[in-house]
């Protein structure tokens, strides 16, 4: 390991908080889906925000990450991530 890497400051871990309804939705999900979403949230907690998309309009300042048929919507403030889960519904089912 190069000397520079040995003395690099480690990335700080983010604290994760769920909105109340997001936590209820998460607990209702199938265990396989929970594992998928949890692994994506763990990546967010480590500070891996690659391929996340910034939202616009009234949700400006929030970001989204896809996890299977769900989107993880989160707000990043200092070292806190506030998580919201949104199911992806096909357009024909919404209208």
């Amino acid at each position: 390991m190069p000397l520079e890497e040995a003395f690099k400051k480690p990335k700080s871990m983010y604290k994760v908080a769920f909105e109340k309804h997001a936590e209820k939705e998460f607990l209702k999900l199938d265990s396989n889906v929970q594992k998928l979403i949890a692994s994506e949230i763990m990546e967010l907690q480590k500070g891996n925000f690659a391929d996340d998309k910034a939202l616009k309009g009234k949700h400006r300042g929030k970001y989204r990450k896809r996890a299977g048929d769900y989107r993880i919507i989160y707000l990043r403030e200092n070292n806190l991530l506030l998580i919201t889960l949104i199911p992806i519904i096909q357009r024909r089912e919404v209208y």
Side-chain angles (χ1 to χ4, degrees):
M1 175 186 310
L3 190 59
E4 300 87 34
E5 286 186 30
F7 290 100
K8 274 187 180 177
K9 186 177 178 180
K11 286 186 179 181
S12 62
M13 295 284 282
Y14 285 82
K15 293 180 184 177
V16 175
F18 281 87
E19 288 185 349
K20 192 173 186 175
H21 76 279
E23 184 175 1
K24 286 182 181 179
E25 284 298 314
F26 179 78
L27 294 174
K28 290 180 191 176
L29 297 172
D30 179 76
S31 64
N32 290 331
V33 176
Q34 284 182 354
K35 288 176 186 175
L36 173 66
I37 292 173
S39 70
E40 293 296 335
I41 292 173
M42 292 293 287
E43 289 300 310
L44 290 173
Q45 187 177 25
K46 293 176 189 174
N48 296 333
F49 303 112
D51 299 325
D52 294 357
K53 184 170 180 168
L55 300 179
K56 299 176 184 176
K58 69 178 185 175
H59 296 292
R60 181 179 222 138
K62 294 181 180 178
Y63 299 85
R64 76 174 188 215
K65 178 178 224 43
R66 191 169 179 151
D69 290 336
Y70 285 80
R71 284 201 175 128
I72 302 167
I73 307 296
Y74 63 94
L75 176 64
R76 187 171 47 187
E77 286 189 8
N78 299 322
N79 66 338
L80 176 69
L81 296 173
L82 182 60
I83 305 290
T84 302
L85 299 175
I86 298 179
I88 298 174
I89 301 171
Q90 290 185 348
R91 291 176 72 174
R92 66 175 173 249
E93 295 176 22
V94 174
Y95 299 109

